[in-house]
């Protein structure tokens, strides 16, 4: 995969959509004004000129009750900032991105000031938030997304991940408008994903789907805040890229101060699901074919989500066939059976066959059998 160095250079995003989030907790919202000032300064350093912002949180907080404070900060950094209003959820801001009438825009960025980008203590989050914001607005992300044809990347951020879902850790990113316009409406995304989840839970009761990797993850599956973080990575045409050093756990950004010079652009993901799980307690899932071919957090689950949300599946050049176990097999299954590939595979009778039988030979058999 191609790499490029990360340097401090000027960028030119078409627009930034910014969620200014004020916590209900008093001990956290005292930081809100400082966080907003820091992030707006970071936007200005990237030479982005236009910022559309929403506010979330208690109406009595000074940032929300008196938005002239936000405008004053914008003027200090020579930014053109436009209030889009007060919203109750991230979905409203994401919907505004999708509804934006400027169809000439090439790329769009999303950042937020949520004081808890992780569950760690608040002061520790400052460095992480800074690097998340800088990464999403970096010259490397912008340059990759502006290259035509868009054959390398259409969404970029600090760290792309394939655990639980296809998403960017911290949920700050820049994307091509051409890709964003393919996405399902954020207002419909949570409900649509819940229909997929309910179908998956029924399939799990029948034994067609397993959730061995994250058996207690039902809360994340059904929580709206968690599901909205999946929106940007939900389409089968996703081509992610990121800046985080290979092998660095997201939690490390809370303990180690990374400079922009430490980051290198690259197509993502940087690790296959097999590599990520090889040393984990769940590695037994990798060793049993009947588990892998039913595992929701591998390709079976993604196939069900893509079908349920978009009635479409990834093309032959998608990264998913390379990073997930049995990718070559599932690719052939999709080519042969289309949207019905999952049901046809899991309904097959399982018997033992030679380990090194090719994926194509298996699919050509009268009954799909695996070892």
């Amino acid at each position: 995969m191609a790499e490029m160095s990360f340097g401090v250079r000027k960028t030119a995003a078409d627009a930034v959509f910014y969620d200014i989030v004020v916590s209900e907790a008093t001990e956290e919202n005292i930081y809100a004004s400082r966080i907003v000032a820091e992030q707006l300064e970071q936007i200005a350093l990237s030479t982005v000129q236009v910022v559309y912002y929403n506010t979330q949180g208690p109406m009595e907080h000074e940032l929300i009750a008196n938005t002239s404070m936000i405008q004053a900060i914008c003027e200090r950094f020579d930014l053109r900032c436009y209030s889009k209003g007060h919203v109750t959820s991230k979905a409203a801001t994401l919907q505004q991105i999708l509804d934006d009438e400027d169809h000439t825009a090439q790329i769009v960025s999303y950042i937020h000031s949520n004081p808890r980008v992780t569950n760690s203590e608040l002061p520790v989050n400052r460095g992480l938030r800074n690097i998340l914001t800088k990464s999403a607005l970096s010259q490397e992300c912008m340059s990759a997304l502006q290259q035509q044809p868009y054959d390398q990347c259409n969404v970029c951020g600090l760290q792309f991940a394939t655990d639980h879902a296809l998403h960017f850790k911290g949920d700050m990113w820049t994307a091509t408008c051409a890709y964003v316009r393919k996405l399902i409406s954020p207002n419909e995304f949570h409900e649509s994903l819940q229909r997929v989840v309910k179908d998956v839970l029924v399939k799990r009761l029948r034994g067609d789907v397993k959730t061995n990797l994250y058996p207690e993850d039902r809360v994340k599956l059904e929580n709206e805040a968690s599901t909205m973080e999946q929106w940007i990575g939900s389409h089968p045409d996703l081509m992610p890229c990121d800046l985080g050093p290979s092998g660095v756990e997201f939690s490390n950004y809370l303990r180690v101060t990374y400079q922009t010079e430490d980051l290198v652009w690259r197509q993502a993901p940087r690790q296959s699901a097999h590599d990520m799980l090889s040393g984990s307690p769940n590695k037994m899932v990798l060793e049993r074919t009947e588990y892998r071919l039913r595992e929701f957090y591998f390709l079976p689950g993604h196939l069900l989500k893509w079908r349920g949300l978009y009635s479409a599946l990834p093309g032959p050049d998608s990264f998913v066939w390379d990073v997930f176990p049995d990718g070559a097999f599932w690719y052939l299954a999709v080519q042969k059976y289309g949207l019905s590939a999952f049901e046809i595979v899991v309904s097959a009778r399982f018997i033992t066959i030679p380990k090194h039988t090719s994926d194509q030979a298996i699919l050509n058999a009268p009954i799909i059998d695996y070892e």
Side-chain angles (χ1 to χ4, degrees):
M1 292 184 181
E3 294 188 359
M4 64 174 73
S5 62
F6 185 104
V8 181
R9 288 179 282 169
K10 297 299 184 181
T11 67
D14 291 343
V16 172
F17 283 76
Y18 183 24
D19 263 333
I20 297 176
V21 183
V22 178
S23 172
E24 298 284 349
T26 303
E27 67 275 15
E28 294 180 0
N29 67 32
I30 59 174
Y31 295 94
S33 298
R34 188 190 75 186
I35 291 171
V36 170
E38 288 178 352
Q39 287 188 300
L40 286 173
E41 182 176 14
Q42 287 179 286
I43 295 173
L45 289 173
S46 70
T47 70
V48 174
Q49 298 297 310
V50 180
V51 180
Y52 299 107
Y53 68 88
N54 284 321
T55 55
Q56 294 183 45
M59 293 297 296
E60 63 274 14
H61 190 276
E62 59 182 3
L63 276 175
I64 298 175
N66 183 14
T67 56
S68 62
M69 290 185 62
I70 299 172
Q71 290 297 332
I73 299 171
C74 289
E75 290 174 8
R76 186 198 319 165
F77 297 122
D78 198 26
L79 292 171
R80 298 200 305 272
C81 297
Y82 303 95
S83 172
K84 302 286 278 188
H86 187 73
V87 297
T88 58
S89 70
K90 178 187 298 183
T93 303
L94 298 178
Q95 185 65 46
Q96 291 169 358
I97 295 176
L98 196 64
D99 294 341
D100 185 31
E101 295 180 357
D102 184 7
H103 296 296
T104 64
Q106 192 172 4
I107 55 178
V108 64
S109 301
Y110 172 78
I111 65 171
H112 59 80
S113 69
N114 194 327
R116 287 191 176 271
V117 289
T118 72
N119 292 324
S120 301
E121 291 300 317
L122 183 67
V124 185
N125 279 319
R126 186 179 185 186
L128 174 58
R129 185 182 304 102
N130 286 343
I131 204 70
L132 281 166
T133 307
K134 287 179 181 177
S135 296
L137 300 173
S138 69
Q139 174 68 34
E140 282 64 32
C141 278
M142 304 295 180
S143 296
L145 296 170
Q146 290 171 335
Q147 291 178 3
Q148 297 187 37
Y150 305 120
D151 56 0
Q152 289 191 35
C153 176
N154 52 25
V155 188
C156 186
L158 174 64
Q159 188 177 83
F160 178 73
T162 59
D163 60 329
H164 301 279
L166 304 179
H167 66 291
F168 283 84
K169 298 281 191 177
D171 199 27
M172 299 192 205
W173 41 263
T174 294
T176 66
C177 294
Y179 171 78
V180 169
R181 293 184 190 115
K182 296 179 180 181
L183 298 175
I184 186 173
S185 164
N187 289 337
E188 302 172 7
F189 181 73
H190 177 70
E191 184 177 342
S192 298
L193 187 57
Q194 291 317 293
R195 286 196 291 270
V196 175
V197 169
K198 289 177 182 177
D199 178 54
V200 166
L201 294 176
V202 171
K203 285 180 167 61
R204 187 169 69 173
L205 287 174
R206 294 202 303 254
D208 292 340
V209 172
K210 296 183 181 295
T211 54
N212 289 319
L213 285 182
Y214 308 107
E216 306 303 324
D217 204 31
R218 181 168 179 173
V219 173
K220 280 195 172 184
L221 288 175
E222 297 181 338
N223 179 269
E224 183 170 4
S226 295
T227 58
M228 289 314 301
E229 293 180 359
Q230 302 177 33
W231 178 72
I232 193 62
S234 64
H235 198 278
D237 289 347
L238 173 69
M239 293 184 293
C241 54
D242 64 19
L243 294 160
S246 300
V248 174
E249 293 289 335
F250 190 63
S251 58
N252 284 5
Y253 293 103
L254 294 170
R255 299 188 294 270
V256 180
T257 301
Y258 286 87
Q259 304 299 322
T260 53
E261 292 79 9
D262 297 323
L263 305 181
V264 177
W265 182 94
R266 192 175 178 183
Q267 290 173 287
R270 298 176 183 237
Q271 286 184 297
S272 69
H274 186 282
D275 291 338
M276 288 188 292
L277 291 171
S278 59
S280 79
N282 294 323
K283 66 178 181 179
M284 63 89 178
V285 178
L286 295 170
E287 299 167 354
R288 300 187 62 174
T289 307
E290 69 270 26
Y291 284 2
R292 294 197 313 272
L293 294 179
R294 287 184 165 91
E295 178 54 54
F296 176 74
Y297 296 101
F298 287 160
L299 276 172
H302 292 298
L303 293 174
L304 292 172
K305 286 194 283 187
W306 290 318
R307 186 180 69 180
L309 294 172
Y310 298 103
S311 297
L313 299 173
D317 296 329
S318 175
F319 69 95
V320 300
W321 313 122
D322 295 322
V323 302
F324 285 105
D326 307 297
F329 168 79
W330 280 111
Y331 170 71
L332 292 171
V334 165
Q335 295 305 301
K336 186 170 184 177
Y337 301 116
L339 294 173
S340 302
F342 174 79
E343 280 76 15
I344 292 174
V345 169
V346 299
S347 65
R349 178 167 55 87
F350 281 73
I351 63 172
T352 298
I353 62 171
K355 220 174 207 183
H356 300 294
T357 302
S358 70
D359 294 318
Q360 188 66 63
I362 293 173
L363 284 171
N364 288 336
I367 299 175
I368 306 175
D369 301 323
Y370 319 90
E371 185 178 45

